[in-house]
Amino acid sequence: GAGVSQSPSNKVTEKGKDVELRCDPISGHTALYWYRQSLGQGLEFLIYFQGNSAPDKSGLPSDRFSAERTGGSVSTLTIQRTQQEDSAVYLCASSLGGGAYEQYFGPGTRLTVT
Amino acid sequence: EDQVTQSPEALRLQEGESSSLNCSYTVSGLRGLFWYRQDPGKGPEFLFTLYSAGEEKEKERLKATLTKKESFLHITAPKPEDSATYLCAGRDSNYQLIWGAGTKLIIKP
């Protein structure tokens, strides 16, 4: 079946502009995660959605970052007033349920802020 | 503070040369140790979950093992297609994954 998909695959933006990154999870997966991966570093947790529960936003690095998940499926990560330090690969993952299940990742969106 | 450390950062092997990758962890209330494989330009691909010390899991040329302080990913007679970055992560008591920085494995034919 279809895996996790993300769009766009690459995004180049100017400093100060807003960007939206999209994630389509695996059908039937109730949990959705966003991570950030910088070169040479481990994945950094950003936000976690589980069903209709309030999202766990504890990993968002600043109030410029926000995410929503509509209809329990597609999610959008928005970064406002982008900064050069936001340049990274943004990965989305989904799982069958909450944290007890393994996560399946999309291919990521490479964001470059110039 | 919870932490996962992987070593070495990079490992170059000849085809057929067996070796091990290390993942040391200090994760409170560990709820599983995960191994993933990541190819360039792709997201991580799930390999194994280990839950208790002494547990082992195998898949083709890979075997993962777990002790109370570390996990090893053993690769036996590797092939060039095994070249990738291998990531490990510990799941904490809040069911969040704490990730290591990865080991980049290069297998030369």
Side-chain angles (χ1 to χ4, degrees):
Chain A
V4 178
S5 61
Q6 293 186 243
S7 60
S9 54
N10 283 283
K11 177 71 176 178
V12 180
T13 190
E14 293 180 352
K15 178 182 172 181
K17 294 283 180 67
D18 298 352
V19 294
E20 286 189 351
L21 312 180
R22 177 187 168 104
C23 172
D24 279 276
I26 293 171
S27 178
H29 280 196
T30 61
L32 187 148
Y33 305 78
W34 283 99
Y35 292 92
R36 179 166 69 177
Q37 186 174 34
S38 301
L39 195 62
Q41 298 184 21
L43 274 69
E44 176 189 3
F45 166 76
L46 297 177
I47 190 168
Y48 161 52
F49 296 89
Q50 170 53 42
N52 295 322
S53 302
D56 176 355
K57 303 179 182 180
S58 60
L60 294 178
S62 77
D63 58 9
R64 297 186 295 105
F65 288 73
S66 63
E68 63 178 20
R69 189 178 185 191
T70 55
S73 182
V74 171
S75 177
T76 302
L77 177 69
T78 301
I79 308 173
Q80 295 179 310
R81 305 180 302 282
T82 52
Q83 304 294 313
Q84 287 188 330
E85 60 263 29
D86 299 334
S87 296
V89 175
Y90 289 82
L91 291 163
C92 174
S94 69
S95 66
L96 264 176
Y101 294 87
E102 58 263 24
Q103 299 174 22
Y104 294 86
F105 285 81
T109 293
R110 180 174 296 278
L111 175 67
T112 304
V113 182
T114 60
Chain B
E1 181 183 347
D2 291 343
Q3 192 169 346
V4 174
T5 304
Q6 292 187 248
S7 61
E9 290 186 10
L11 181 62
R12 288 171 173 78
L13 300 172
Q14 288 294 138
E15 183 173 2
E17 180 184 1
S18 302
S19 189
S20 297
L21 313 183
N22 178 266
C23 172
S24 297
Y25 64 91
T26 51
V27 176
S28 58
L30 186 77
R31 297 281 191 268
L33 190 291
F34 292 74
W35 283 97
Y36 282 79
R37 168 189 171 132
Q38 187 173 26
D39 292 295
K42 296 188 177 182
E45 175 188 349
F46 172 74
L47 292 173
F48 305 110
T49 310
L50 302 167
Y51 290 100
S52 56
E55 187 175 1
E56 299 182 353
K57 287 191 176 174
E58 288 189 64
K59 180 179 180 179
E60 296 181 356
R61 294 176 292 283
L62 298 176
K63 182 169 78 173
T65 62
L66 183 66
T67 73
K68 290 186 177 180
K69 293 184 178 180
E70 55 195 350
S71 178
F72 293 94
L73 185 65
H74 307 276
I75 183 160
T76 302
K79 298 181 178 181
E81 54 262 42
D82 295 320
S83 297
T85 296
Y86 291 85
L87 302 171
C88 77
R91 187 163 58 197
D92 68 15
S93 54
N94 294 318
Y95 290 93
Q96 281 201 15
L97 292 179
I98 312 298
W99 294 84
T103 293
K104 184 174 183 179
L105 179 65
I106 300 168
I107 307 300
K108 295 179 286 186

